[in-house]
Amino acid sequence: MAESEKDAKQEKKPEIPPEIIERVKKLREEIEYHNYRYYVLDSPVISDAEYDALMRELKELEAKYPELVTPDSPTQRVGYPPAKEFRQVPHAEPMLSLDDAMTEEEVYEFDRRIKRLLNLPEDAQIEYTVEPKLDGLAVELVYENGVFTVGSTRGDGYVGEDVTNNLKTIKSIPLRLRPLTDDAPPVPKRLDARGEVFMEKEKFKQLNEERIKKGEPPFANPRNAAAGSLRQLDPNITAQRPLDIFFYGVGKVEGHKFKTQWEVLTTLPKWGLKTNPLCRLIKGIKEAIAYHHELEKKRDELPYEIDGVVIKVNDLSLWEKLGTKARSPRYALAYKFEPTQVTTQVLDIVVQVGRTGAVTPVAILKPVKVGGVIVSRATLHNEDEVRRKDIRIGDWVLVQRAGDVIPEVVMPIKERRTGKEKPFEMPKTCPVCGSKLVRKPGEAVWRCPNKNCYAQLVRHLQHFASRNAMDIEGLGEQVAKALVDMGLVRDVGDLYYLSVEDFLQLPGFALKKAQNLYNAIQKSKKTTLPRFLYALGIRHVGEVAAQTLAEHFKSLDKIMNASMAELMAIPGVGPEMARSIVEYFRNPHNREVIEKLLKAGIEFEDLKEEKPEEKSLKGLTFVFTGALKTMTRDEAKKKVQALGGKVASDVSRNVDYVVVGEKPGSKFTRAQRLGLKIIGEDEFLKMIGEKKE
């Protein structure tokens, strides 16, 4: 036998067993199906451990038989070498940007213009799709014969950057399209799918926390984080970032003819491409405007950022008739929300004193409208935060406000500095009472140690009277200031020794108003131990901790005399909280105020030992999301606590039940992802014994 024949025989690899080929194919299909269930439908049908086992088996088989590795294998989502630079990718059809509208009149004019261009009567009701406008990064993914081949950014609308390998790391993007439902049409020969890459708000927050710990600069907002993550030359960095995508349209398509935008939105998920569930098909521009207002109210509850609504003519044949301008189509419009991030200037940095003596830097801003509200002040949290962000007096800064959140300065715009900006210096004494400020080791906050400080007393009065504390209606900031200014109150105990005549001395108080405040204070004497503990304003003791302490000790006296060890034995009470509680009750002044309150007639509801059946929710934790029909959220919370349960403010794996009412927020979505037990209001009422079987 010739040497060459011998070598060829030796080099010939054994054939891969057919059952291995079939198993690899089956594993890929299973893994992609479970990716679709988890990342697209938010409805997993197997555990994480089972999923990991499937992926591990596939990796082992591909390592043993490398000839079987294909570009669309789930194992190929990570591990690409870094690129030296981004390759340019032309779009087969331009990815145009949209014209913006900020007012209803601009939206009506958009509708009128379409009717003029189409020669339709003024009262014609055009069919539109309305879609949330995600604040992310627009991309295009090309699928050829169902396989994802190239992905690019929008770029200038005509040419984008090649981010194929980065996009492959996003689990909600299928590497191969397949008909996933019985009514799914065949996958087109070519499909250019367009979507928005984004990062959820909670995951953005976690990412920034990690970056700060590592000494890296945080991202300004989720959009910047998504864009920065996707445009990494090293896909392995992108793979570590929690990116997601919603698809909203198509470019070039071969092998399928879409007739409407609604057909696009409802067909893409049948092939595995996730679209936003909040999209709607509506008739007439008034419905589009109503949808915008509805979504703006829900905006803060959503797990991701949206900055408006996209309105599109539904009939795709009309798109051709309407045409495009230089950079934008005439058939679509972005109706924007009020911005939650704006740029303004820091005019000064002052400090304010809180009820616990914490002295906090506050930026005085050039007034600016953000989130629909005029903002002129924003918290800077503490001295270390000012230093870390390097915020100076005179800086132009990015300010954000979402919902009811207190406005905060995100970052300075250093490129706009002129050299006249002044660094902030923390004062050495309290700006209100002049006491020397103290800062304990390990703490970021400076404090005024003077318990008689005017500012602390005013804010303590406000907290003591707040709804979730003693619930004294009519005792807000201005009344609290007046009570202190007039010398009527030196501590919260004094409130219960005031008469109607005393209140008549306050500015703006006539007999009825004075009588109402007096009655509200008398009514507050009957309270609960958890409310009273929360009202005292002990550092680190919020509503949940107050409830836990009351349930464990059953009496105020036992709590006041508890040791560090006894307190730390309670689940949820750590050394910092325990130390704070012990220090508070050791303070003679605090004990005097409590004694004064009890002598005034403060009474707690009976804390007798309940029968087992009366504590039917003991050990269970609930979270509420959405509006309940039969009671307020606060009433539901009290009912759960009365039956021995706990109410958490957010979802986590420690939550047993998520009660969903009307128009639930982002907690509902996160609960689904975590696989938590989700119940409706009717089932909740049965659990608390208020609805018959």
Side-chain angles (χ1 to χ4, degrees), residues 259-279:
K259 294 181 179 177
T260 66
Q261 170 66 6
W262 188 246
E263 185 191 349
V264 171
L265 293 172
T266 54
T267 303
L268 291 182
K270 295 174 184 177
W271 294 328
L273 298 168
K274 182 167 68 167
T275 58
N276 196 302
L278 296 175
C279 297

Side-chain angles (χ1 to χ4, degrees), residues 435-455:
S435 300
K436 188 177 179 181
L437 300 182
V438 295
R439 180 176 174 178
K440 291 184 179 179
E443 287 193 359
V445 178
W446 287 91
R447 295 182 186 278
C448 169
N450 177 14
K451 296 300 178 187
N452 296 316
C453 175
Y454 173 86

Side-chain angles (χ1 to χ4, degrees), residues 331-476:
Y331 50 78
L333 183 74
Y335 185 10
K336 303 293 284 290
F337 296 148
E338 290 279 0
T340 55
Q341 282 195 341
V342 296
T343 302
T344 189
Q345 191 174 24
V346 177
L347 302 177
D348 197 3
I349 297 177
V350 299
V351 292
Q352 67 179 22
V353 184
R355 62 180 173 81
T356 62
V359 179
T360 308
V362 176
I364 305 301
L365 307 170
K366 183 179 284 187
V368 63
K369 194 174 184 183
V370 51
V373 174
I374 299 295
V375 168
S376 59
R377 296 165 68 90
T379 179
L380 294 173
H381 301 292
N382 56 59
E383 183 185 23
D384 291 349
E385 187 78 350
V386 179
R387 298 273 180 273
R388 184 181 67 76
K389 290 182 177 178
D390 188 21
I391 297 163
R392 305 177 186 182
I393 298 166
D395 265 339
W396 285 88
V397 293
L398 191 66
V399 177
Q400 73 178 11
R401 179 186 179 275
D404 296 325
V405 176
I406 298 168
E408 70 166 335
V409 176
V410 180
M411 62 192 294
I413 302 168
K414 295 181 180 179
E415 293 78 7
R416 295 187 68 171
R417 283 183 176 164
T418 63
K420 295 180 180 178
E421 295 78 15
K422 297 177 188 173
F424 167 71
E425 291 294 333
M426 193 73 186
K428 298 289 186 280
T429 58
C430 174
V432 177
C433 69
S435 300
K436 188 177 179 181
L437 300 182
V438 295
R439 180 176 174 178
K440 291 184 179 179
E443 287 193 359
V445 178
W446 287 91
R447 295 182 186 278
C448 169
N450 177 14
K451 296 300 178 187
N452 296 316
C453 175
Y454 173 86
Q456 289 185 57
L457 180 52
V458 168
R459 286 183 171 81
H460 190 194
L461 277 173
Q462 284 179 260
H463 172 77
F464 186 83
S466 62
R467 191 180 67 174
N468 294 332
M470 299 302 283
D471 194 17
I472 302 174
E473 191 175 345
L475 208 169

Side-chain angles (χ1 to χ4, degrees), residues 70-73 141-150 164 168 174-178 187-191:
T70 59
D72 65 327
S73 173
L141 286 76
V142 178
Y143 286 88
E144 295 179 295
N145 297 314
V147 178
F148 175 35
T149 57
V150 63
T164 307
K168 283 183 177 181
L175 301 180
R176 177 185 286 275
L177 303 181
R178 295 179 176 87
V187 173
K189 182 181 177 183
R190 172 172 176 152
L191 176 72

